[in-house]
Amino acid sequence: MKTYDFVVLGSGIAGLSFALKAARHGSVALITKRSGAESNTAHAQGGVACVTSGEDSFDLHVRDTLTAGAGLCNEAVVRTIVTEGPARIQELMELGVHFDERDLEGGERELDLGREGGHSKRRVLHARDATGREIELSLLRAAQASARIDLLENHMAVDLLTTGKLGFATEDRCVGVYVLNEATGNVETFRTDRLILATGGCGKVYLYTTNPKVATGDGVAMAWRAGATIANMEFVQFHPTCLFHPAGSSFLISEAVRGEGGRLVDAKGREFMGKYHPRGALAPRDIVARAIDAEMKRTGAPCVYLDISHKPPEFVRERFPNIYETCLKLGIDITQEPIPVVPAAHYQCGGVLTDVNGATSLRGLYAIGEVACTGLHGANRLASNSLLEAVVLAHRAIGHVLMDVPFNGHPPHEIALPEWVSGDAHDVDEMVVIYHNWDEIRRLMWDYVGIVRTDKRLKRASTRLRSLLREIQEFYWDFKVNTDLLELRNLATVAALIVDCALLRKESRGLHYTLDYPETDDLHWLRNTEIHRF
Ligand code: SIN
């Protein structure tokens, strides 16, 4: 049994930022299921949206965010995150994060601001086209140097421990977590009063995604099982431009490419976005993704193309070195030819419902970053707002957590928690069942719960997922847990939550588009879809 003042699950920008602040106040276990650097953050290309220029304003950033969010953003939350952003960006820079700058006349320099879809101004701070990697590595270095942070790699959280589940006749609250140590195969018990979910999103629930392998919705699934409120899971953002190539299946082609003049064209080189939105290729993401989907369905083509080859080659190589090198290795010279692209699942706008401090409906449990639904994104996230949200919420959460009252006035080490019992469970004998179910879920979600939905397809998905969940649950009780089985269980749970929320919303709004209810219905649906287990 291990006792910590803070237990943080996940080592992306949200988890690392929180852990660094928490370490000033107590001991921190930073638990991450693969290596410290393996996170969605590390794959973020575009950057961090933040008002830093005199030509921009908080009001404009708030307005752009609300417009993208299609009526469902919480305006107070948006304003808080936007206005607190610059101070948090300053802290990142003090920790060594380097954002690109450009030369001004007279030898001065200023931050080089990128443009992305839905933004009325240039306001995206970036480190070339690998911003997430720059942030991730800087924060990770700082966390590794902290004596108060135990970075536990290859450790995967299994389930949260709550007083309710343990039978305490008291207010329900989170008091710890069971964690699988992959090296030993044992499940260890971590005791804490302050558990922070920073586990990222669930892109792997879909067949095609820009997300890395780790994005299996673990935080949402665990919070759901623990009884926390989950909201807006129907709003899955599909990024319009993921590389279409058998050997580069989840590689993102940043929206910044369109921001710098990249044109979306069909196989014959004809631009098509003008038909769909006055802002063309820089329309909000849901519109661009749906337009590409419609073009592909109309023409039967397997992809569309993003063309930046009309720009000077040296500019393209300098601004997008990561995309240039990756495509070149696959035989595509983006300075000379268009890039084949398709939409792919990219970001979970819903999640564990929190307030603007990251507090969930379960006392002692906080959620920050992509796992959380704070009200910033509403029905559609504005590009590059997520890294901003993560740093602001990490800062606000530590302030709130410290004011929270400990369980019954007792420090966490006085609460008796049961150890994990494996019972008669034996090792999984047929991993093929796990892999088969995993593939089936991802294909089913892509085919039935994708960019354009219908009730019939959603119901079909729901029936099949229920049956898969029963099968997986039997596996879970009969066999010793391993990472693949735990991820499959979480993936199936999150898939079912997406379908449940999508079936509830009888309208089209933002990222949720259904042929059965193609109109937006403000009278009945200007609200979150909230679901609880109990
Ligand atoms: C991108 O670079 O297009 C991704 C940015 C984001 O998802 O916010």
Side-chain angles (χ1 to χ4, degrees):
M1 179 96 59
K2 299 177 175 168
T3 300
Y4 284 88
D5 295 311
F6 305 90
V7 172
V8 182
L9 305 181
S11 59
I13 182 172
L16 287 167
S17 300
F18 183 93
L20 287 168
K21 285 173 189 267
R24 296 179 198 148
H25 306 277
S27 58
V28 184
L30 180 53
I31 292 171
T32 189
K33 65 181 178 175
R34 305 260 156 76
S35 76
E38 188 54 357
S39 65
N40 246 350
T41 300
H43 294 256
Q45 294 183 2
V48 193
C50 186
V51 177
T52 57
S53 136
E55 284 166 29
D56 197 1
S57 72
F58 291 140
D59 282 339
L60 285 176
H61 191 177
V62 168
R63 195 193 66 192
D64 293 345
T65 304
L66 296 177
T67 305
L72 282 199
C73 300
N74 178 327
E75 187 166 348
V77 169
V78 174
R79 193 161 288 281
T80 301
I81 292 173
V82 162
T83 52
E84 293 185 7
R88 305 287 79 82
I89 294 296
Q90 186 58 36
E91 286 175 356
L92 282 181
M93 297 204 276
E94 283 159 16
L95 277 166
V97 176
H98 176 79
F99 293 111
D100 285 0
E101 294 178 341
R102 63 188 190 106
D103 294 327
L104 295 176
E105 277 170 29
E108 298 282 297
R109 288 177 74 72
E110 69 173 12
L111 285 165
D112 180 45
L113 301 176
R115 186 198 295 279
E116 287 178 13
H119 289 277
S120 56
K121 294 283 174 192
R122 282 190 173 266
R123 65 166 71 97
V124 181
L125 283 72
H126 63 97
R128 305 284 176 90
D129 58 350
T131 314
R133 194 162 61 210
E134 168 72 13
I135 296 175
E136 178 73 30
L137 295 181
S138 303
L139 294 180
L140 191 59
R141 265 192 302 272
Q144 281 163 337
S146 165
R148 280 231 178 112
I149 299 177
D150 288 343
L151 174 64
L152 302 170
E153 297 179 311
N154 302 309
H155 280 62
M156 178 168 180
V158 178
D159 259 322
L160 304 177
L161 287 155
T162 64
T163 48
K165 279 195 183 167
L166 297 173
F168 285 80
T170 176
E171 171 205 34
D172 198 14
R173 66 167 297 152
C174 185
V175 286
V177 57
Y178 285 132
V179 177
L180 171 67
N181 177 341
E182 260 204 78
T184 62
N186 294 331
V187 175
E188 299 166 357
T189 309
F190 284 71
R191 212 160 26 183
T192 187
D193 264 350
R194 306 166 185 95
L195 198 132
I196 287 72
L197 289 176
T199 46
C202 67
K204 278 288 166 188
V205 88
Y206 284 95
L207 190 57
Y208 302 111
T209 176
T210 62
N211 290 186
K213 285 197 174 69
V214 290
T216 51
D218 305 326
V220 168
M222 282 188 289
W224 160 254
R225 289 194 290 270
T229 304
I230 310 294
N232 289 358
M233 289 299 289
E234 69 275 36
F235 298 123
V236 177
Q237 185 169 69
F238 289 80
H239 196 290
T241 58
C242 180
L243 178 64
F244 179 69
H245 189 283
S249 59
S250 63
F251 186 68
L252 177 71
I253 307 295
S254 175
E255 192 150 314
V257 174
R258 277 175 285 136
E260 297 301 344
R263 303 178 310 131
L264 275 170
V265 296
D266 65 15
K268 297 208 166 109
R270 292 176 298 216
E271 280 191 75
F272 56 82
M273 274 312 299
K275 280 191 288 186
Y276 293 93
H277 196 275
R279 281 196 187 174
L282 282 177
R285 255 181 215 178
D286 55 330
I287 291 163
V288 184
R290 263 202 307 280
I292 295 176
D293 187 62
E295 285 295 309
M296 285 166 51
K297 286 202 171 107
R298 192 178 61 76
T299 60
C303 64
V304 296
Y305 297 85
L306 180 54
D307 192 3
I308 187 92
S309 63
H310 52 286
K311 288 277 182 179
E314 53 288 2
F315 167 77
V316 174
R317 280 193 291 264
E318 170 70 16
R319 176 67 179 84
F320 302 111
N322 177 31
I323 296 175
Y324 172 74
E325 291 295 340
T326 305
C327 289
L328 199 60
K329 280 192 201 127
L330 297 171
I332 305 163
D333 180 349
I334 69 170
T335 65
Q336 304 299 322
E337 59 192 312
I339 313 164
V341 290
V342 285
H346 181 61
Y347 193 86
Q348 162 196 306
C349 291
V352 186
L353 188 68
T354 73
D355 65 11
V356 72
N357 302 309
T360 70
S361 61
L362 184 62
R363 185 126 180 261
L365 179 69
Y366 289 75
I368 52 177
E370 188 171 351
V371 68
C373 178
T374 61
L376 174 70
H377 308 310
N380 183 22
R381 178 182 66 104
L382 184 66
S384 289
N385 262 358
S386 40
L387 297 179
L388 180 75
E389 181 190 46
V391 279
V392 171
L393 262 287
H395 180 81
R396 294 185 68 85
I398 186 70
H400 194 269
V401 169
L402 291 172
M403 286 188 315
D404 197 15
V405 190
F407 172 66
N408 270 355
H410 297 295
H413 61 269
E414 289 186 17
I415 306 165
L417 300 182
E419 293 289 350
W420 176 266
V421 185
S422 287
D424 296 332
H426 43 282
D427 287 322
V428 176
D429 51 357
E430 291 212 305
M431 288 301 286
V432 67
V433 181
I434 293 184
Y435 301 138
H436 177 89
N437 285 350
W438 180 292
D439 287 346
E440 184 176 347
I441 292 169
R442 297 185 64 205
R443 161 69 65 187
L444 171 150
M445 290 297 286
W446 185 259
D447 288 343
Y448 294 162
V449 198
I451 297 174
V452 176
R453 300 165 180 175
T454 64
D455 269 359
K456 192 168 161 197
R457 287 187 219 149
L458 290 175
K459 282 182 191 148
R460 209 169 264 172
S462 174
T463 309
R464 187 62 196 128
L465 283 167
R466 252 72 215 176
S467 134
L468 280 166
L469 272 165
R470 272 194 302 278
E471 208 172 285
I472 292 164
Q473 201 58 12
E474 278 168 28
F475 244 76
Y476 180 72
W477 292 121
D478 290 349
F479 296 101
K480 279 195 185 146
V481 292
N482 62 34
T483 307
D484 288 335
L485 177 53
L486 294 175
E487 286 187 338
L488 174 67
R489 178 176 175 239
N490 292 337
L491 206 71
T493 304
V494 170
L497 291 172
I498 295 172
V499 173
D500 288 351
C501 286
L503 275 168
L504 282 173
R505 187 170 289 282
K506 303 291 184 206
E507 64 157 358
S508 291
R509 181 185 296 275
L511 299 163
H512 175 68
Y513 184 77
T514 160
L515 295 175
D516 293 317
Y517 311 94
E519 303 301 326
T520 300
D521 176 2
D522 279 347
L523 189 62
H524 300 101
W525 282 105
L526 199 56
R527 58 186 166 91
N528 292 337
T529 40
E530 292 184 14
I531 47 178
H532 319 253
R533 185 166 192 190
F534 303 115

